[in-house]
Amino acid sequence: MAFVPIVGAPLAVAARSSLCSNAVLHRNGRSFVTAKGRAVPGGMSSTRMTPRCAAAAGGGEGKPVSSGSAGSSPAAASTAMVGVYITLWYAFNIVYNISNKKALNALPLPWFVAWAQLVVGCAWVGLLWALRIRKAPRLNMDNVKALFPIAAAHALGHVSTVCSLGAVAVSFTHVIKSMEPFFNVIGSALVLKSVFPLPVYASLLPIVAGVIVASVSELSFTWLGFGMAMVSNVAFTARNIFSKLNMNAPKGENMDALNLFAVLQLISTVLILPFMLLLEGSQIGAGWKAATTGAKAAMTASKLALTLGISGLFFQLYQEVAFLALNSVHPVTHAVANTMKRVVIIITSIFVFKNPITSANMSGSAIAIAGVLIYSLVKNHFDAKAKEKASS
């Protein structure tokens, strides 16, 4: 397939990244602890990799991405590789969101679509393991039990996100999901007893205000879409908390960041299956037929299957490339890149699906997204000060 050569470099780096024993899987303000990793409270702080891990992820020769002179070849190559990762992360994310929405428009069965995407992702990872491109993890039942609550929260977060994307415009779902830092802070305070400086809490106000403005002016607004996006925020916050609570539990062998995510995908696929069959199982046959045959057919059966396959594959790929990209950069770069990713997706989805948008909705969305960036920068600032104080 055409996309295999494109992802060859990230996969090769992924294989090298399994050497890193203290990796923390961190993306979009979320983190999961790997086999020998450590998580920060609430899974919210940007976590830097060791020099060896940074070099593996960035293609360097034993130096972190941020070190080395500007003129040195290893540093330049490492920086270029991070740029490639971020570009692929954006591109794969766009492909996923567009193909996912097209699949949902044709086949409005979000539980089935979400489950099918995980199946495709698991098949992709299974192929990498079978071909020994990536070392296969080894887990026992105790390891699975330790990962079960994390996987359950991950499954709920994925399904609820897909449900929201099917009910409202892609752009609106991403605006609502920008409130995830708000839920992370509240969850960390209630469960983990983590207290942050007042400016961190104050930086959340623009996010809340922007989401409110965007919601009341959203032309595609439905309570289902809004509610499911909120559920996904809560679910991913729960996933962070479970990761922190289980950070000392054994995770198994060969459990680097990418394999940890793959195992969570596998467990989530099994967990979603009975609920999918209960809620939508009886509708799959009729829904597929209605979507692919007759005068009102949205697309052919082969095209719908291909669209589902693409959405599942690129869901897996954009997550993997994101880990490689964001674990290789400074927290501030992380914050800017993550914020811009959401902006790119929102603008692209509006352009592709031609969703009408009001000036108030545009303003609210801009305020919310800018608020996420402000929050990330403020929190990174106080995290850095806390580390300096602890090391002095």
Side-chain angles (χ1 to χ4, degrees):
M1 293 184 182
F3 50 78
V4 174
I6 298 178
V7 300
L11 290 177
V13 177
R16 295 200 302 273
S17 69
S18 64
L19 299 174
C20 304
S21 61
N22 68 333
V24 174
L25 184 159
H26 178 93
R27 184 185 56 78
N28 297 351
R30 315 166 192 157
S31 65
F32 317 107
V33 185
T34 55
K36 297 181 182 179
R38 297 184 61 187
V40 290
M44 294 174 58
S45 298
S46 296
T47 304
R48 301 301 304 279
M49 302 177 77
T50 63
R52 181 178 179 178
C53 295
E61 299 295 333
K63 293 183 180 181
V65 172
S66 58
S67 64
S69 62
S72 64
S73 296
S78 178
T79 302
M81 185 58 70
V82 171
V84 170
Y85 289 155
I86 293 178
T87 300
L88 291 177
W89 173 40
Y90 283 19
F92 290 170
N93 211 319
I94 290 171
V95 172
Y96 164 68
N97 277 275
I98 293 175
S99 59
N100 175 69
K101 185 63 174 179
K102 287 183 176 180
L104 289 168
N105 286 343
L107 187 66
L109 300 174
W111 281 81
F112 173 73
V113 171
W115 177 77
Q117 290 170 350
L118 295 187
V119 170
V120 173
C122 291
W124 169 257
V125 174
L127 179 63
L128 299 182
W129 290 335
L131 297 177
R132 298 185 179 180
I133 296 175
R134 184 182 303 169
K135 287 186 177 181
R138 297 179 181 178
L139 298 89
N140 55 37
M141 285 307 299
D142 289 336
N143 302 144
V144 175
K145 289 178 181 178
L147 291 173
F148 184 86
I150 305 173
H154 175 74
L156 178 59
H158 176 58
V159 168
S160 55
T161 298
V162 174
C163 288
S164 177
L165 289 168
V168 294
V170 173
S171 57
F172 183 57
T173 294
H174 280 277
V175 171
I176 302 302
K177 284 180 65 63
S178 68
M179 279 195 69
E180 189 173 324
F182 174 84
F183 289 94
N184 275 325
V185 168
I186 299 302
S188 296
L190 294 177
V191 180
L192 302 175
K193 310 303 180 184
S194 299
V195 180
F196 303 98
L198 183 60
V200 174
Y201 294 104
S203 67
L204 294 170
L205 295 178
I207 302 177
V208 177
V211 168
I212 292 174
V213 173
S215 298
V216 299
S217 58
E218 173 59 39
L219 298 178
S220 71
F221 181 91
T222 67
W223 283 109
L224 175 62
F226 177 84
M228 286 295 98
M230 284 296 190
V231 169
S232 75
N233 286 334
V234 175
F236 287 130
T237 294
R239 185 180 66 178
N240 298 340
I241 292 173
F242 289 139
S243 296
K244 171 62 177 179
L245 295 176
N246 289 280
M247 73 176 184
N248 294 320
K251 302 295 188 299
E253 298 180 26
N254 300 329
M255 288 291 282
D256 65 322
L258 299 182
N259 272 349
L260 174 57
F261 180 73
V263 170
L264 291 178
Q265 293 278 77
L266 283 167
I267 300 174
S268 297
T269 304
V270 175
L271 292 177
I272 292 173
L273 178 59
F275 294 98
M276 183 273 290
L277 292 175
L278 177 65
L279 296 172
E280 298 178 351
S282 62
Q283 307 172 48
I284 296 174
W288 187 277
K289 184 177 181 180
T292 58
T293 60
K296 296 183 179 180
M299 58 183 72
T300 63
S302 59
K303 185 175 182 180
L304 179 55
L306 179 62
T307 302
L308 280 172
I310 290 174
S311 68
L313 177 60
F314 280 86
F315 174 73
Q316 182 73 29
L317 291 179
Y318 96 71
Q319 304 268 8
E320 292 191 357
V321 176
F323 301 146
L324 297 173
L326 299 182
N327 278 334
S328 309
V329 298
H330 189 275
V332 174
T333 306
H334 177 161
V336 174
N338 194 42
T339 302
M340 289 307 299
K341 177 215 70 173
R342 206 172 290 279
V343 172
V344 169
I345 293 173
I346 289 174
I347 294 175
T348 303
S349 67
I350 293 174
F351 175 78
V352 171
F353 297 106
K354 296 179 172 55
N355 302 122
I357 184 171
T358 65
S359 58
N361 184 263
M362 190 180 302
S363 299
S365 300
I367 293 171
I369 300 302
V372 173
L373 178 59
I374 294 171
Y375 160 79
S376 300
L377 296 177
V378 170
K379 190 170 187 307
N380 285 333
H381 170 73
F382 284 100
D383 284 345
K385 289 184 64 174
K387 289 178 181 178
E388 291 178 4
K389 184 176 181 181
S391 60
S392 61

